[in-house]
Amino acid sequence: MGLDLLLLALWLVGGFAGALPGERFEWVLLPAIPALWSLTAGLLRLRILTVPRHPAGYAALTVLGTAAIGWSIAVHPLREAVLPACSAATALLFLLERRSALQGHAIVLASFVAAVIGASVDPGAKSLPVFIPYSVLLFAALALIHQQWVLQRLRRAAQEGYMLAAQVPGFSGTRTGRLPSMAIVVGLTALLAMTLYVLVPHWRWRRTTGNPSTQGSGTGTSGMSEKLSLQGVRDLKLDHRVALRLRLFDGDREVRPSLPLRLRGHVLDRFRGQEWDTMSRKEARRDDRDGARDGWVTLDRNPRQPVRIVVISEPNGDVLPAPGRVAAVRADRVYLNGHGSVFLPETPAQRFTYEAVCDVAAPVPGSYQPRPTSPDPVFLQLPSRQKDVEQLARRVAGSSGSAWETAVRIEQHLRNEYDYSLEVDVHEDPVHALLFDTRAGYCVHFAAAMAVMLRHLDIPCRLVQGLYGGEWSDREQISIFRLSDAHAWVEVWLGPKAGWVAFDPTPAEAAPESDPGDFTVTGTAPTPDGTPRPEPTAPALSPRQFSRLNLESQTRWLNAVKEWSGSLWERRAVRAGLLGLVLLASVGVTWVLLPRHEQARLKALLGSAAGGASPFYEEFLTLAARAGYRPATGETPLEFGKRVERSYPGACRVPLAMYAVRFGGAPASARLPEVRPILDAIRAAQAGKRAAAAESGPPVPPAKPS
C-alpha cells in the first residue's frame, strides 16, 4: 500500500512538472481516478473491481489503453501526446493492480518521461521548483521497488528451502530496514535534478495555443503590426521560435554585433486607451527614383554611420526590422512611412531574405534641445488627460531642466519602482492599472506608461515595437532573434538635430543577457555630451538564465567547459590529482562490492593491531547466525563456540584465537591463517545444506541451550 501511494504521488508530481509549461493539467488527473479506484478496492479486498477474472477483461483493458494512446498521438502533436499516452499507460497498470517490480518500474518510467518532456519545453523555468521534489520521490520509489524486489526473491528462497525464514527481513515478523539517510538523499537528488534540468536538450517547440498574430489585430507571426494591443504580446514572449537571422557588415567586413541589439519595426503614434496605432501613411519608393536602376531603393543618400545587414526572415508581416534607420534597401519597390519604417509591397507567406543599409549613428553631442517643439500634434495626443497620472509624472520629473533629463527620470522610475510580470489581468485602463494598482506588467505596459507620462508633460514621444535581444550562434556564425525577443520601447523627440532618441523603461529583470561582440550599435539615449549609457541587462542569478536555455546555449556552455578542462589538463598536478581520485573511487567501489567475509579478511590482513578487534570473529558470528546459532544471555564466546562445534567441528578454535588477539596482544593477521580454514569449512558446509534442502524441505533450526 505504501509503495502504491508513493507511485501515485510520483506520477502526479511528474505529470504536473510535465504539464506546467503548457498548462494542460487535465492530463495529470487522468490516472488518479483508476489509481484511487485500485487502492480503494485493495483496501476493501474487492479483487473483482481491480483484476478481471476472465481473459476478456484483460483484452478489453488492452484495447481501451491502446485506443487512448493511439488517439492522443494522432490528435495531438508530439509534445502534448506524451502526457496522455503516459497517463493511459499508468492508468492501465493501476487497473491491473501492480504486483511486480516490473510494473512499478514502468510507472516510474512513465512519470520520468513526462517530467523530462516538460523540462525540455519549459519556456520560463516554471517546472524547475517542481522538478527537485519530483526527483526525490523518484529515487525513493526506485529504492523501495528495488528493496521489494530483493525481499520477494529472498522470501521465495526461504519458501523453497534455500534459506532460513529467520534470515529474511519481513518474512517472519522481522523489520525490513530503512532507506538511507533522507538528508543525504534529498541533498544529492536536488543537485542531480538541477544538473539534469540544465543538461536536458531544450528544444523550441511550436506552440499550439493559437496564432500569436491575433494579438492586437496583427498580421504575420511576430506580433508586429500597425496596431498594438496592451492586452496582447504575452503569448509572444513565451514563444521561442526563430523570427529572423541577421548578419552585419561594417564596410566589406562581416562583424559580430554586440548583443542585445535593437531592431526597429513598427512605430506607433496614436494612443486609444487600450491600443496604439499609427496615423502615418505609406509612400511607395522605387529603384529608379534616385536616377539609377542599380537594384537599390535609396532612402537616405548621406548616412552618418552606415552598416549593411543581410536578414533571413520568417514570415513576420510586411515590416522590415532593422537597427537604426534604414538608408537603402535592395529591392525594386518598397513602402516608407513618415516614421522611417520600411515595408514590403506584399506580406510574404514564406521565408525570405532582404539586404539593407542602415544608419546606426548616435545623436550628435550637444544637439538635445531643453524644451523641443513637437513636429506634429499627434505626438502629444492623449485620449484624455488624467490628473493623477499628470501629478505622478510631475513628481517624478521633479526639478529636471530638460526633456532628456525628464525622460531619464521617468525611465528610471519605471525600471526601479515596478515589477516585470507576464501574469497581468485584463484592465479597462492598463496604463492606470500599472501605475497605481498592480504595479507590474511587461514591456508594452511600461512603454505605454512612459509615453503617457511624457505626453502629460507636453514632451513629444512615440512608441516603437520591434525585437530586442538576440543570441549568437557559433555553429551558424549568425545572430538569431526569436519571437520571444519581441519588445516595445519609447522614442522621444529632442529637437531637429538630435531627432528621435530611444528610451527603455522595462525593468532590468526582463532584459536579455549581454554578449559582447566586434561591433556595438548605440542603444538607448546617450548623455547630452555623447557618453553612451549602458543597456539594461539581466541580473547574474535569475530564472531567465534557465528560461533562455536551448540547444545553442547548451552547446556554447559545453564548448566553454571543454576549453576550460583542456587548459586544466595541460597541468601535470591536475592530471595526477584526477588519477588519484579515479584510483580512490575504484578502491571504494571495489570495497563496497566485496562480500562481507572478504572485507573481514582484508581488515585482518591490512591492519588489526595487537589487542584490537577481531574481524574474523565477527565473520564467525555471521556464519553461526545463518545456521540459527545466536549467543545466549550470559554465554561466553568459548561456550558459544563449543555449542556451534556440535554442528561444525573445530568451531571453538575461533573464539580461542579471538582471546589471543583481544587479551594476549597477538595481531589478528597472525591468527588469521589458523581460523581461515575453519571459516571456509563452515561456509562450504552451509552451502551443502542449502543444496540438500532443495530436495528434503526446509531445515529445522537447532534447539536453544537449556
Side-chain angles (χ1 to χ4, degrees):
M1 176 56 67
L3 184 56
D4 287 329
L5 293 175
L6 179 60
L7 289 174
L8 176 59
L10 178 70
W11 168 251
L12 290 177
V13 177
F16 184 78
L20 188 59
E23 298 182 357
R24 298 297 300 272
F25 300 112
E26 62 270 21
W27 297 121
V28 184
L29 301 178
L30 280 183
I33 297 176
L36 292 175
W37 176 19
S38 176
L39 294 177
T40 304
L43 286 175
L44 299 177
R45 302 185 182 278
L46 300 176
R47 292 290 183 85
I48 189 62
L49 296 180
T50 57
V51 181
R53 295 185 175 182
H54 195 275
Y58 290 103
L61 285 177
T62 303
V63 171
L64 177 64
T66 304
I69 296 173
W71 173 81
S72 64
I73 295 177
V75 174
H76 298 278
L78 179 60
R79 181 259 178 275
E80 294 187 3
V82 172
L83 281 177
C86 292
S87 298
T90 309
L92 277 179
L93 290 174
F94 273 113
L95 280 174
L96 293 174
E97 192 174 7
R98 185 198 51 74
R99 284 295 180 187
S100 67
L102 178 62
Q103 291 184 354
H105 282 107
I107 295 174
V108 169
L109 179 62
S111 67
F112 182 75
V113 169
V116 170
I117 289 294
S120 67
V121 298
D122 188 4
K126 290 182 178 180
S127 63
L128 180 58
V130 185
F131 205 76
I132 295 177
Y134 162 75
S135 302
V136 175
L137 286 176
L138 179 70
F139 275 81
L142 287 175
L144 280 178
I145 292 172
H146 179 71
Q147 184 186 62
Q148 185 188 61
W149 177 74
V150 171
L151 290 178
Q152 285 178 349
R153 299 196 64 176
L154 292 176
R155 291 166 184 168
R156 188 178 300 114
Q159 291 172 352
E160 295 175 356
Y162 289 99
M163 297 184 65
L164 293 178
Q167 298 175 238
V168 181
F171 187 79
S172 57
T174 59
R175 302 187 64 177
T176 59
R178 298 180 180 179
L179 291 175
S181 172
M182 288 306 298
I184 298 178
V185 171
V186 172
L188 294 178
T189 305
L191 180 62
L192 181 62
M194 291 283 293
T195 305
L196 179 63
Y197 187 89
V198 173
L199 293 181
V200 165
H202 283 252
W203 300 89
R204 299 308 189 188
W205 296 69
R206 182 181 179 89
R207 291 181 60 87
T208 57
T209 55
N211 188 353
S213 63
T214 59
Q215 303 293 342
S217 304
T219 59
T221 61
S222 71
M224 291 188 292
S225 67
E226 295 179 347
K227 289 184 179 181
L228 178 62
S229 170
L230 298 189
Q231 311 295 354
V233 183
R234 175 186 176 276
D235 286 343
L236 198 64
K237 297 295 291 184
L238 298 177
D239 195 332
H240 292 273
R241 285 177 290 162
V242 173
L244 57 86
R245 295 172 170 85
L246 179 142
R247 299 172 63 190
L248 185 67
F249 297 84
D250 183 15
D252 295 331
R253 180 175 65 95
E254 184 173 1
V255 295
R256 174 179 173 176
S258 296
L259 301 175
L261 180 66
R262 293 183 189 274
L263 304 182
R264 298 174 77 252
H266 287 280
V267 180
L268 311 173
D269 50 29
R270 183 170 58 177
F271 183 44
R272 293 179 174 271
Q274 290 194 355
E275 70 176 15
W276 286 77
D277 59 16
T278 181
M279 298 182 65
S280 179
R281 296 183 178 181
K282 301 176 183 177
E283 177 185 351
R285 295 292 184 94
R286 300 182 180 276
D287 176 21
D288 55 359
R289 183 166 180 169
D290 57 356
R293 293 190 61 85
D294 54 1
W296 286 83
V297 178
T298 303
L299 307 175
D300 184 357
R301 294 179 179 274
N302 301 302
R304 292 171 47 216
Q305 187 180 358
V307 296
R308 183 167 59 91
I309 60 171
V310 177
V311 178
I312 304 172
S313 177
E314 303 299 327
N316 294 323
D318 57 352
V319 69
L320 301 182
R325 294 179 64 88
V326 178
V329 182
R330 184 184 289 275
D332 294 330
R333 178 169 61 99
V334 295
Y335 284 88
L336 177 71
N337 67 6
H339 301 312
S341 298
V342 179
F343 303 85
L344 295 173
E346 297 179 355
T347 301
Q350 57 188 0
R351 179 183 298 177
F352 66 99
T353 301
Y354 64 91
E355 185 177 355
V357 175
C358 305
D359 186 1
V360 295
V364 178
S367 62
Y368 296 166
Q369 288 186 354
R371 295 295 175 186
T373 302
S374 178
D376 192 293
V378 72
F379 300 121
L380 297 175
Q381 172 269 337
L382 288 169
S384 63
R385 298 187 72 90
Q386 297 174 301
K387 187 175 181 179
D388 51 355
V389 176
E390 183 174 354
Q391 290 176 348
L392 175 62
R394 294 191 182 280
R395 184 170 67 253
V396 173
S399 59
S400 58
S402 65
W404 178 86
E405 186 177 356
T406 300
V408 169
R409 291 189 178 186
I410 294 177
E411 176 193 59
Q412 296 301 317
H413 173 76
L414 292 173
R415 279 188 191 176
N416 300 327
E417 302 297 329
Y418 296 83
D419 298 324
Y420 182 87
S421 174
L422 293 175
E423 306 298 331
V424 180
D425 296 331
V426 177
H427 297 276
E428 293 184 2
D429 190 344
V431 171
H432 193 275
L434 168 69
L435 294 176
F436 301 104
D437 298 331
T438 63
R439 301 185 68 84
Y442 41 92
C443 59
V444 177
H445 300 130
F446 288 103
M450 180 175 180
V452 169
M453 293 174 70
L454 288 173
R455 290 186 176 187
H456 273 90
L457 300 179
D458 297 324
I459 297 177
C461 60
R462 61 191 186 186
L463 190 142
V464 181
Q465 61 172 150
L467 300 173
Y468 176 54
E471 58 191 61
W472 177 256
S473 171
D474 291 322
R475 181 172 58 87
E476 300 181 47
Q477 292 293 299
I478 202 169
S479 298
I480 298 178
F481 289 81
R482 302 184 181 276
L483 296 179
S484 56
D485 293 323
H487 196 55
W489 61 93
V490 177
E491 288 184 345
V492 181
W493 177 257
L494 296 180
K497 293 184 179 180
W500 294 97
V501 183
F503 292 83
D504 192 342
T506 303
E509 60 260 29
E513 300 175 34
S514 177
D515 185 6
D518 305 327
F519 188 87
T520 302
V521 177
T522 302
T524 52
T527 60
D529 61 0
T531 303
R533 291 196 304 147
E535 290 276 6
T537 55
L541 295 176
S542 74
R544 287 181 60 82
Q545 308 300 325
F546 291 100
S547 65
R548 294 185 68 87
L549 277 178
N550 53 41
L551 291 178
E552 193 69 44
S553 63
Q554 288 173 305
T555 303
R556 187 164 57 249
W557 290 357
L558 291 177
N559 289 335
V561 171
K562 180 181 178 181
E563 295 177 3
W564 175 75
S565 60
S567 62
L568 283 180
W569 187 253
E570 298 298 329
R571 303 179 183 180
R572 184 176 300 176
V574 173
R575 294 199 299 269
L578 289 177
L579 181 60
L581 289 177
V582 171
L583 291 176
L584 287 176
S586 302
V587 171
V589 172
T590 304
W591 179 263
V592 171
L593 296 178
L594 280 177
R596 290 184 179 180
H597 67 279
E598 295 294 341
Q599 292 180 0
R601 179 184 300 181
L602 288 175
K603 286 180 182 179
L605 288 174
L606 296 178
S608 291
S614 303
F616 57 78
Y617 185 70
E618 296 177 2
E619 182 180 353
F620 172 70
L621 292 177
T622 302
L623 293 174
R626 290 180 181 175
Y629 291 99
R630 299 182 185 276
T633 305
E635 189 177 24
T636 65
L638 183 58
E639 293 173 345
F640 176 67
K642 290 181 178 180
R643 185 157 56 90
V644 177
E645 196 173 33
R646 300 172 187 172
S647 301
Y648 303 103
C652 65
R653 295 167 59 185
V654 178
L656 290 175
M658 184 269 293
Y659 286 155
V661 172
R662 181 170 299 179
F663 306 112
S669 57
R671 311 296 298 187
L672 186 60
E674 176 185 349
V675 299
R676 174 50 54 194
I678 300 174
L679 297 176
D680 291 342
I682 295 175
R683 183 175 288 103
Q686 290 181 351
K689 289 183 179 181
R690 285 196 297 268
E695 300 179 0
S696 60
V700 179
K704 295 184 179 180
S706 57

